[in-house]
Amino acid sequence: LDGSAASVALGFTFDPIEQIGIGLSYRWGTEFDVEGDWYGEDNVKGKSRTAPIAVGGVTYRPNEQYDLYLSYIHEGWDEATSTLSVYPDDGGERNQFDKPLRTLALGAAAKLAENRYIVRLGAAFQLEDGIEGALVPKNSFGVGGVWNFTEYAFETAITMEQFDLNGDSAQTTNYGFYFTIAYRL
């Protein structure tokens, strides 16, 4: 199935003191049209709604060279819906998951050459979610870096994510490579 839609997110960060940063963000779920082949049927059309996501995080800066991160991510999978059920015999609209997915993420960054280069490491671990009968993210690990210029920055990351089905870990493993170009105003 294919489909796309714009999503709306709002977030902010602030530093109550020099060594501590706090960030909060929320992305609303988005409803969009999907179509394609589905369980042997051609040109199937339907509607899906993505899960809203809330994130809260804290950054601790023990000195100018290092940052440590801790975040809590709450994905409202219980609010994700689709008119096309994963079980076509059920028919009708249904929630695909009955509980939210909750994740704890940890990270560290080292700034080198007066912040010209930044090296990052991170890991995320699913907290007990109780989602049954669905393949959900269990944990992920990543390494990345940033190359800063005066107005531009290039960022890249390599990640590995393992999925869990009914408590059986590593059912599926995905690898990702990400590249971003940023421009500072």
Side-chain angles (χ1 to χ4, degrees), residues 90-134:
D90 290 351
E93 185 171 325
R94 72 189 272 290
N95 286 343
Q96 301 301 304
F97 309 102
D98 57 354
K99 295 183 180 183
L101 181 68
R102 300 175 296 121
T103 305
L104 186 65
L106 308 167
K111 302 167 197 158
L112 310 169
E114 297 179 359
N115 292 339
R116 184 158 173 96
Y117 307 102
I118 300 173
V119 177
R120 293 186 180 136
L121 300 170
F125 305 95
Q126 174 200 91
L127 302 174
E128 180 60 40
D129 62 53
I131 296 173
E132 297 292 328

Side-chain angles (χ1 to χ4, degrees), residues 144-162:
V146 180
W147 186 8
N148 286 310
F149 293 90
T150 305
E151 297 168 342
Y152 293 93
F154 298 104
E155 183 168 347
T156 187
I158 298 170
T159 62
M160 179 200 71
E161 185 174 34
Q162 292 184 320

Side-chain angles (χ1 to χ4, degrees), residues 3-93:
S4 63
S7 183
V8 177
L10 177 66
F12 66 92
T13 61
F14 65 98
D15 297 342
I17 61 174
E18 189 176 333
Q19 292 84 15
I20 302 289
I22 297 174
L24 299 170
S25 69
Y26 186 82
R27 187 193 79 193
W28 283 265
T30 301
E31 185 170 283
F32 58 100
D33 295 327
V34 293
E35 62 180 84
D37 300 337
W38 188 251
Y39 282 96
E41 294 184 38
D42 295 337
N43 301 320
V44 174
K45 295 183 180 182
K47 289 192 177 294
S48 290
R49 181 168 184 76
T50 61
I53 299 174
V55 179
V58 176
T59 301
Y60 172 62
R61 299 177 201 92
N63 57 47
E64 290 184 12
Q65 188 175 5
Y66 299 104
D67 292 341
L68 302 173
Y69 306 99
L70 174 66
S71 296
Y72 172 76
I73 305 161
H74 186 94
E75 298 179 68
W77 284 23
D78 52 333
E79 297 179 40
T81 59
S82 179
T83 58
L84 301 170
S85 170
V86 293
Y87 307 105
D89 295 337
D90 290 351
E93 185 171 325

